[in-house]
């Protein structure tokens, strides 16, 4: 495997009962690379993303993020690793309904001792970059789908992650809103050199990525 | 714990927060009010004895002489000998003692209830000092008398008159309104104990049924350590015999009837049941709330919250909810206590303790001490209730938080 890789998965297998959802997949994502993981629904791409991001443990194989082996890490160590190194963007946004936009963005910082003003400053800065400066105090229920995803992107970036995992980031959005969100992700990659692994079932979206990995029946095709 | 997050969660999820808080607060209110009621009845039962500054009164029943002339003992209170008094003084747990002598005096033109008192002993009927309406209270060493106001009015006795009692003259130095003073140890005429003892010693009818020597009395008022009252009462029976009438707060409690017996006996059980129900309601509601938030917990863990971060956050929510429930329960209990404070309670005074001869008009009527139920919530009970709520919150939050924090984020985030 490439030693400069930000993310490495070796011979990853995930089995649920009798079913192999991911079958011996090896993958590497270089620092600053934007990789799209493409495949039909149920092909195992979201499970592979969960394995690579430390949300789930592989049945077999190894995962390394930024050179650190995470396969056998304790649950709490995995949580800390995610907090310090990883950002997530989900298809359903997964915002906390009782928290305002800026508080949702600052959510990963809540367990860290720091003044509330500092949390707010960092969250506000990111939301302004997402053109959401006028929606800081709004609850998720008062935001449109596109606005919710912008908040979710800001949340993924609040801890200055080394890599961002995006799982169908525009799957719940209409085409024009989806284009806008993709534009933000592309800009992040282009301007800040953000390493990204994006799961999508739409080949069109993958065209903007540096590299496309196709999956079928739990295996990598190319 | 992020307090801001806790408050926003509780505020925005008002419906489930209110259900949790109400469930527990009703349990806490029940616990507090049941215990406050029990304390109130105990307090009420002390009232008749507290009026004479005692925890225990002691009498010994005997016989009434065949000839009712001059000074005699009521059949409910005959001689308690000096040597018995000396033995009683040595009982462990007794902190002080007052002595008195109750006599019925049948003179040619009227009958008196006469009470000889130790005028300077705070234990016993010296409370009368506060109810002198004319003249003054008895002074030590003087052969003088105080007359009860209603009796004085009935027989036209005035301050400065001399009254003749069993052949002896006493100047009236005070008129005392005993109607508000006490229900026990009341009389028509009050004399210094020594003078009453002289009347008793000189009475042949009295001596014929109950020999009386200098230093003897027939009423004792005892102040005792609260936790030793039962033991002292038992020791008194050992000295004076099983037939002795020993009145204690406990004996008055037994006279209060079935409602008290029910509330007192089952206070602990009812409190425990109330709390158990409250805990179950709180636990079930919070468990439901937390289960509904599995996805949210998954998100927290995905963005880097550790199990401990999640547990502490949920613990904080639970403790704050339960603390509010404790305060609300306390407020509900205080309102209930205020309302119950308007209830009156009649404490029956046993006929043995009534000084009036039962064969005289009104003498056989039931005697009650009527008072408002003294319902109040002691600070210790209030503090205990709030502390208990917080502990319930802590345990519930820790248990549920620990359980839910083990959730794997991929399990709840997978199915989008």
């Amino acid at each position: 495997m490439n030693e400069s890789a930000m993310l490495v998965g070796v011979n990853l297998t995930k089995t649920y009962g009798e079913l192999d959802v991911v079958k011996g997949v090896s993958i590497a994502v270089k620092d600053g690379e934007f990789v799209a993981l493409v495949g039909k629904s149920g092909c195992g791409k979201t499970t592979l993303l969960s394995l690579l991001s430390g949300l789930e443990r592989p049945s077999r194989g190894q995962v390394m993020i930024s050179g650190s082996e995470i396969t056998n890490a304790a649950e709490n160590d995995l949580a800390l690793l995610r907090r310090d190194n990883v950002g997530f963007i989900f298809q359903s946004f997964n915002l906390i309904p009782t928290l305002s936009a800026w508080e949702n963005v600052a959510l990963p910082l809540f367990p860290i001792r720091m003044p509330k003003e500092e949390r707010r400053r960092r969250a506000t800065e990111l939301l302004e970059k997402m053109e959401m400066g006028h929606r800081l105090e709004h609850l998720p229920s008062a935001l449109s789908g596109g606005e919710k995803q912008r908040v979710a992107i800001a949340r993924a970036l609040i801890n200055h992650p080394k890599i961002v995992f995006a799982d169908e980031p525009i799957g719940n959005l209409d085409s024009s809103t989806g284009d806008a969100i993709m534009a933000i992700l592309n800009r992040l990659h282009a301007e800040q050199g953000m390493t990204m692994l994006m799961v999508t079932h739409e080949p069109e979206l993958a065209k903007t990525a540096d590299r496309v990995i196709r999956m079928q029946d739990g295996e990598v095709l190319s | 714990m992020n307090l801001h997050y806790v408050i926003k969660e509780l505020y925005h999820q008002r419906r489930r927060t209110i259900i949790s808080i109400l469930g527990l607060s009703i349990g806490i209110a029940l616990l507090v009010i049941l215990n406050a009621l029990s304390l109130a009845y105990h307090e009420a039962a002390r009232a008749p004895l507290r009026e004479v500054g005692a925890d225990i009164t002691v009498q010994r029943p005997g016989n009434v002489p065949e000839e009712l002339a001059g000074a005699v003992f009521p059949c409910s209170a005959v001689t308690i000998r000096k040597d018995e008094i000396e033995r009683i003084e040595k009982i462990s747990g007794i902190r002080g003692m007052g002595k008195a002598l109750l006599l019925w005096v049948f003179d040619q033109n009227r009958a008196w209830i006469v009470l000889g008192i130790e005028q300077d002993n705070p234990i016993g009927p010296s409370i009368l000092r506060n109810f002198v309406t004319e003249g003054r209270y008895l002074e030590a060493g003087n052969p003088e008398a105080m007359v009860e106001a209603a009796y004085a009015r009935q027989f036209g006795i005035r301050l400065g008159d001399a009254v003749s009692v069993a052949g002896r003259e006493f100047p009236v130095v005070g008129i005392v309104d005993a109607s508000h003073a006490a229900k026990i140890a009341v009389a028509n005429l009050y004399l210094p104990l020594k003078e009453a003892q002289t009347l008793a010693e000189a009475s042949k009818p009295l001596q014929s049924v109950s020999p009386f020597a200098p230093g003897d009395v027939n009423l004792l008022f005892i102040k005792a350590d609260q936790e030793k009252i039962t033991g002292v009462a038992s020791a008194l029976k050992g000295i004076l015999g099983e037939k002795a009438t020993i009145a204690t707060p406990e004996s008055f409690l037994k006279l209060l009837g079935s409602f008290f017996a029910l509330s007192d006996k089952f206070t602990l059980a009812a409190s425990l049941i109330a709390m158990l129900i409250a805990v179950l309601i709180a636990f079930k509601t919070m468990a439901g709330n937390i289960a509904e938030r599995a996805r949210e917990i998954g998100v927290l863990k995905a963005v880097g919250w550790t199990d401990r971060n999640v547990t502490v956050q949920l613990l904080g929510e639970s403790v704050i909810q339960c603390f509010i429930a404790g305060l609300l329960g306390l407020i509900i209990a205080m309102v209930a206590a205020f309302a119950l404070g308007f209830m009156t309670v009649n404490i029956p005074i046993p006929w043995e303790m009534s000084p009036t001869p039962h064969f005289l008009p009104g003498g056989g009527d039931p005697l009650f001490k009527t008072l408002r139920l003294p319902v109040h919530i002691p600070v210790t009970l209030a503090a205990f209730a709030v502390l208990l709520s917080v502990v319930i919150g802590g345990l519930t939050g820790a248990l549920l938080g620990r359980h839910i924090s083990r959730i794997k984020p991929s399990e709840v985030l997978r199915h989008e």
Side-chain angles (χ1 to χ4, degrees):
Chain A
M1 286 289 161
N2 190 336
E3 286 187 4
S4 70
M6 173 61 69
L7 175 69
V8 177
V10 182
N11 198 24
L12 292 172
T13 298
K14 183 67 183 176
T15 306
Y16 294 110
E18 301 282 303
L19 182 66
D20 287 340
V21 180
V22 175
K23 302 170 185 169
V25 172
S26 292
I27 187 172
V29 179
K30 285 186 273 184
D31 190 10
E33 192 179 19
F34 182 2
V35 175
L37 197 56
V38 182
K40 289 179 182 173
S41 292
C43 72
K45 55 190 187 301
T46 293
T47 303
L48 180 60
L49 181 138
S50 293
L51 298 177
L52 292 167
S53 61
L55 286 180
E56 199 153 0
R57 289 178 191 280
S59 304
R60 286 189 300 278
Q62 286 178 304
V63 177
M64 279 182 282
I65 293 178
S66 191
S68 301
E69 159 82 55
I70 67 166
T71 321
N72 297 315
E75 281 298 323
N76 279 339
D77 293 338
L78 275 178
L80 294 174
L81 179 128
R82 288 195 295 268
R83 189 181 76 189
D84 296 337
N85 299 294
V86 174
F88 285 100
I89 302 167
F90 302 99
Q91 181 179 356
S92 302
F93 325 124
N94 284 328
L95 301 180
I96 307 297
T98 54
L99 297 180
S100 67
W102 82 261
E103 289 160 346
N104 264 290
V105 173
L107 194 64
L109 304 181
F110 279 7
I112 301 169
R113 280 185 189 276
M114 71 165 64
K116 184 184 168 189
E117 295 71 30
E118 173 63 11
R119 279 191 203 119
R120 188 181 171 109
R121 188 192 63 74
R122 285 170 64 173
T124 303
E125 205 172 274
L126 278 167
L127 281 170
E128 280 170 352
K129 280 185 186 169
M130 301 289 149
E131 298 172 358
M132 287 286 291
H134 60 302
R135 301 291 238 171
L136 295 178
E137 300 293 346
H138 287 69
L139 291 176
S141 56
L143 301 177
S144 67
E147 288 174 326
K148 285 178 189 170
Q149 197 59 299
R150 286 166 195 255
V151 173
I153 294 170
R155 181 180 66 191
L157 302 177
I158 192 82
N159 54 351
H160 308 300
K162 291 175 178 163
I163 182 165
V164 170
F165 292 91
D167 187 4
E168 305 275 11
I170 64 168
N172 277 357
L173 303 174
D174 61 57
S175 60
S176 62
T177 311
D179 289 346
I181 294 299
M182 278 312 298
I184 291 172
L185 294 179
N186 285 323
R187 196 174 70 224
L188 280 171
H189 168 60
E191 293 177 4
Q192 297 178 28
M194 182 68 68
T195 310
M196 279 198 275
L197 178 63
M198 180 180 74
V199 163
T200 180
H201 65 277
E202 294 181 48
E204 277 298 307
L205 286 183
K207 284 181 181 171
T208 55
D210 297 334
R211 184 156 60 98
V212 176
I213 298 173
R214 294 177 200 286
M215 278 191 78
Q216 189 178 323
D217 296 332
E219 292 174 309
V220 168
L221 297 178
S222 61
Chain B
M1 182 186 70
N2 189 290
L3 188 61
H4 184 69
Y5 185 11
V6 169
I7 292 167
K8 291 202 91 167
E9 187 62 36
L10 296 180
Y11 176 75
H12 284 289
Q13 302 293 351
R14 283 188 288 275
R15 191 183 59 82
R16 63 189 188 196
T17 302
I18 288 169
I19 291 171
S20 295
I21 287 176
L22 276 182
L24 186 58
S25 65
I26 289 168
I28 291 288
L30 274 174
L31 171 88
V32 173
I33 203 66
L34 281 171
N35 282 279
L37 260 182
S38 174
L39 290 172
Y41 273 99
H42 277 96
E43 186 70 14
R46 283 197 193 98
L49 294 169
R50 198 177 46 223
E51 286 173 338
V52 288
D55 298 309
I56 303 171
T57 62
V58 183
Q59 296 168 227
R60 172 188 270 155
N63 297 322
V64 178
E66 288 180 8
E67 185 193 1
L68 287 177
V72 297
F73 284 142
C75 62
S76 60
V78 299
T79 307
I80 298 173
R81 294 191 314 273
K82 188 180 175 186
D83 63 298
E84 289 171 326
I85 297 168
E86 286 168 356
R87 285 170 63 197
I88 288 169
E89 281 173 331
K90 290 175 187 162
I91 295 173
S92 163
I94 290 185
R95 287 194 288 151
M97 186 192 294
K99 291 171 282 202
L101 187 61
L102 180 67
L103 298 170
W104 293 344
V105 179
F106 296 94
D107 286 332
Q108 276 188 334
N109 52 352
R110 66 172 70 111
W112 306 85
I113 302 166
V114 175
L115 187 65
I117 62 175
E118 294 175 308
Q119 59 267 53
D120 294 323
N121 189 340
I123 304 169
S126 62
I127 190 174
L128 292 166
R129 184 189 295 274
N130 303 321
F131 297 91
V132 175
T133 55
E134 281 183 71
R136 62 169 171 77
Y137 185 66
L138 298 175
E139 283 179 356
N142 294 336
E144 53 194 24
M146 291 191 305
V147 184
E148 205 281 319
Y151 193 85
R153 273 197 304 278
Q154 187 183 352
F155 292 97
I157 300 168
R158 293 193 181 84
L159 196 65
D161 288 355
V163 290
S164 174
V165 183
R168 291 196 60 200
E169 295 261 322
F170 295 95
V172 177
V173 298
I175 304 292
V176 60
D177 181 4
S179 61
H180 300 297
K183 291 291 178 192
I184 57 177
V186 291
N188 307 134
L189 190 78
Y190 298 92
L191 299 176
L193 178 60
K194 197 168 181 316
E195 301 301 329
Q197 284 171 322
T198 305
L199 292 181
E201 283 168 43
S203 171
K204 284 182 184 169
L206 184 150
Q207 294 282 11
S208 71
V209 291
S210 183
F212 190 89
D216 293 350
V217 295
N218 69 347
L219 273 179
L220 293 178
F221 304 94
I222 292 172
K223 194 92 184 142
D225 293 331
Q226 294 301 306
E227 68 277 16
K228 291 185 176 172
I229 286 177
T230 309
V232 170
S234 175
L236 286 166
K237 291 247 180 192
I239 293 170
L240 298 175
E242 279 302 312
K243 286 184 180 174
T245 307
I246 314 292
T248 62
E250 204 60 37
S251 66
F252 277 101
L253 273 179
K254 286 178 184 162
L255 297 170
L256 272 174
S258 57
F259 174 75
F260 170 73
L262 195 70
S263 70
D264 189 50
K265 252 184 198 169
F266 295 109
T267 294
L268 182 64
S271 300
L272 288 175
I273 290 169
M275 276 323 300
L276 191 65
I277 291 170
V279 170
L280 286 177
I281 290 172
F283 192 84
K284 192 170 183 312
T285 319
M286 287 182 200
N289 294 347
I290 288 176
E292 277 176 29
R293 292 167 64 193
R295 190 178 187 83
E296 180 181 328
I297 306 298
V299 173
L300 295 180
K301 294 196 72 174
V303 301
W305 287 45
T306 61
D307 291 3
R308 188 168 176 276
N309 295 148
V310 172
T311 304
V312 169
Q313 189 68 21
L314 295 175
L315 179 72
E317 282 181 24
S318 176
V319 165
I320 288 174
Q321 269 188 93
C322 290
F323 177 68
I324 295 169
L327 291 181
L328 182 65
L330 200 55
I331 291 168
I332 295 170
M334 284 164 89
V335 172
F338 178 75
L340 288 169
F342 287 102
M343 278 172 55
T344 55
V345 57
N346 292 322
I347 304 165
I349 306 294
W351 72 268
E352 300 96 319
M353 298 180 76
S354 167
T356 312
H358 54 271
F359 47 81
L360 290 182
D365 293 348
L367 194 61
F368 292 97
K369 169 71 186 170
T370 302
L371 71 158
R372 274 197 175 177
L373 197 58
V375 189
H376 66 277
I377 298 168
V379 177
T380 46
L381 179 58
F384 172 75
V386 176
L387 186 69
L388 184 66
S389 307
V390 171
V391 169
I392 290 171
L395 291 176
T396 308
L399 204 64
L400 293 173
R402 204 173 145 76
H403 176 70
I404 199 80
S405 69
R406 289 177 182 160
I407 203 166
K408 289 186 177 164
S410 58
E411 285 174 8
V412 285
L413 299 175
R414 183 186 299 145
H415 307 291
E416 301 235 337

